[in-house]
C-alpha cells in the first residue's frame, strides 16, 4: 500500500468502491469547494496502483489538525496505522501541536477504526455523548436571563467568559487544554476554532441575570438542515441554578428560527447536569463518541 495526495480524478474511483469510500469520494470535492479543507490535507491510499481508501484532514483551529473522514481498505491494524502515520507526516503544518479525531460509535467500523488510531499513537482524550433535537416542542422561555450577542459585548469579553467557564468544567478536554496552555490562551484558541467551523458569529450570545453575565452559548449552522450547540457553559459562581437549560433553550430556539430540522449537542459523558437539561428540552440520545488525540 502507498499514499499520495488526492487528485480530482480519484473521486469516481472512490465512489465506485461503495460504502464509506463512496461517501469519501462524494465529500472531498464538496469540502474543498466550501473551504473546509485544503488539497494538501486530502490523501488517497493505493493498492497495486488502484485507489482503495483515503483520509481528509482539516485545521479546526490554529495548531490543531483534525480528521474530517477516514476510510481504510481491509487491512491489518499495523499496516493501516502505518498509512495513517504517513498521512500525518504529509499533512501536518509546521505550527501543528495537536491532532484529533471525533469517532462515533454508530459507525459500523467503530472498533477497528479506533484500534487503527490507537496503534498509530493516538490516545483517548475524552468520552462524550451525542444528542439531537428534531423539532420536539420547546417550553416557553422562563425569562430568567437576558441575552446579548457577541457583536454587542465584544470578542474580548466572550473569550474571557470561555476562560471563566472552563474553571471546574466537566468538559475534560477543555480542562486539559487550559492546564497545558493556560486558561487565556486555551480560550482564545477555542474561540478561533469555533469560528473555523462557521465564521458567522451572529447567533453567539452571553446570558445575563440582571447586570451579571452568567454563561454563554454558541449555536452554529452546520449545513442546510443541521445546526449544533457547539459550546455552552456557566461560570462557576452561577452554577447550581439551572441556567444551563436557559442557555440551551435560547440556542436551540435561535437555530430552529433558521428553519433547521436537526440540532446536535455533544457533551462529556460525566456532564450529568447538562444531560438532564438536554433531555428536559426534548433532545434525544443518538450515540456515544470518543475523542482520539495526539500531541506533536
Amino acid at each position: 500500500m502507498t499514499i499520495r495526495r488526492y487528485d480530482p480524478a480519484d473521486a469516481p474511483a472512490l465512489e465506485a468502491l461503495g460504502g464509506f469510500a463512496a461517501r469519501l469520494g462524494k465529500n472531498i470535492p464538496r469540502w474543498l469547494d466550501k473551504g473546509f479543507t485544503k488539497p494538501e490535507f486530502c490523501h488517497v491510499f493505493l493498492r497495486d496502483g488502484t485507489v482503495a481508501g483515503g483520509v481528509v484532514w482539516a485545521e479546526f483551529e490554529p495548531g490543531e489538525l483534525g480528521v474530517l473522514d477516514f476510510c481504510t481498505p481491509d487491512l491489518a491494524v499495523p499496516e493501516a496505522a502505518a498509512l495513517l502515520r504517513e498521512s500525518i507526516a504529509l499533512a501536518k503544518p509546521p505550527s501543528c501541536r495537536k491532532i484529533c479525531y471525533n469517532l462515533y460509535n454508530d459507525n459500523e467500523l467503530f472498533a477497528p477504526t479506533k484500534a487503527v488510531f490507537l496503534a498509530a499513537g493516538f490516545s483517548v482524550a475524552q468520552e462524550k455523548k451525542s444528542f439531537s433535537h428534531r423539532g420536539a416542542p420547546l417550553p416557553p422561555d422562563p425569562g430568567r436571563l437576558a441575552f446579548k450577542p457577541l457583536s454587542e459585548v465584544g470578542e474580548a469579553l466572550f473569550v474571557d467568559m470561555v476562560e471563566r467557564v472552563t474553571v471546574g468544567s466537566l468538559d475534560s478536554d477543555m480542562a486539559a487544554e487550559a492546564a497545558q496552555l493556560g486558561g487565556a490562551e486555551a480560550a482564545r484558541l477555542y474561540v478561533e476554532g469555533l469560528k473555523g467551523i462557521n465564521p458567522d458569529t451572529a447567533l453567539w450570545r452571553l446570558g445575563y441575570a440582571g447586570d451579571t453575565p452568567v454563561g454563554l452559548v454558541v449555536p452554529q449552522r452546520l449545513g442546510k438542515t443541521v445546526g449544533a450547540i457547539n459550546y455552552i457553559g456557566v461560570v462557576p459562581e452561577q452554577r447550581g441554578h439551572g441556567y444551563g437549560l436557559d442557555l440551551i433553550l435560547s440556542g436551540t430556539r435561535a437555530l430552529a428560527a433558521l428553519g433547521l430540522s436537526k440540532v446536535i449537542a455533544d457533551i462529556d459523558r460525566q456532564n450529568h447536569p447538562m444531560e438532564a437539561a438536554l433531555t428536559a428540552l426534548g433532545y434525544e440520545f443518538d450515540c456515544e463518541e470518543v475523542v482520539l488525540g495526539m500531541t506533536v
Side-chain angles (χ1 to χ4, degrees), residues 10-287:
D10 295 326
L14 286 167
E15 291 186 42
L17 292 171
F20 288 94
R23 182 187 66 184
L24 187 66
K26 291 178 180 178
N27 280 336
I28 294 178
R30 180 172 62 87
W31 286 335
L32 287 168
D33 183 61
K34 291 182 177 295
F36 292 162
T37 186
K38 302 175 183 178
E40 61 265 32
F41 290 162
C42 303
H43 303 146
V44 291
F45 304 139
L46 305 174
R47 173 183 280 155
D48 298 326
T50 302
V51 173
V55 60
V56 180
W57 306 90
E59 283 188 287
F60 291 154
E61 62 181 58
E64 180 178 322
L65 194 65
V67 177
L68 282 178
D69 204 357
F70 173 76
C71 173
T72 183
D74 186 18
L75 296 177
V77 167
E79 188 176 0
L83 283 172
L84 186 59
R85 286 193 295 269
E86 189 174 347
S87 179
I88 291 171
L90 289 173
K92 186 180 64 172
S95 60
C96 185
R97 58 179 180 80
K98 177 182 177 182
I99 304 173
C100 66
Y101 183 28
N102 290 46
L103 178 63
Y104 295 86
N105 72 351
D106 60 350
N107 182 332
E108 63 187 71
L109 298 178
F110 174 82
T113 300
K114 181 180 177 182
V116 168
F117 276 78
L118 293 176
F122 287 73
S123 60
V124 175
Q126 187 178 20
E127 293 180 307
K128 305 175 81 172
K129 290 183 175 182
S130 183
F131 293 80
S132 64
H133 191 277
R134 300 174 185 265
L138 292 167
D141 187 339
R144 301 193 302 167
L145 300 181
F147 292 92
K148 297 182 181 181
L150 182 146
S151 58
E152 180 179 341
V153 302
E155 188 166 315
L157 178 57
F158 213 87
V159 171
D160 179 66
M161 286 290 288
V162 171
E163 181 181 3
R164 290 173 61 190
V165 163
T166 302
V167 176
S169 171
L170 292 174
D171 187 320
S172 56
D173 193 42
M174 283 287 293
E177 281 281 281
Q180 179 185 359
L181 302 173
E185 179 63 6
R188 184 189 69 80
L189 288 174
Y190 197 81
V191 168
E192 288 300 311
L194 288 170
K195 288 192 289 186
I197 295 171
N198 185 336
D200 184 0
T201 62
L203 300 181
W204 300 22
R205 55 194 64 185
L206 295 187
Y208 284 77
D211 295 328
T212 304
V214 302
L216 70 166
V217 60
V218 177
Q220 293 185 294
R221 179 193 283 272
L222 301 182
K224 290 183 178 180
T225 61
V226 180
I229 306 296
N230 271 337
Y231 189 74
I232 183 172
V234 177
V235 296
E237 62 272 21
Q238 296 293 339
R239 291 171 187 159
H241 301 295
Y243 288 140
L245 187 146
D246 302 52
L247 292 163
I248 297 170
L249 177 59
S250 173
T252 307
R253 283 189 180 280
L255 291 170
L258 299 179
L260 305 183
S261 58
K262 180 180 179 181
V263 178
I264 300 167
D266 295 345
I267 61 171
D268 193 287
R269 268 184 88 177
Q270 303 305 314
N271 198 338
H272 303 304
M274 201 62 70
E275 181 173 350
L278 288 168
T279 302
L281 292 174
Y283 280 78
E284 296 182 350
F285 172 75
D286 281 338
C287 60

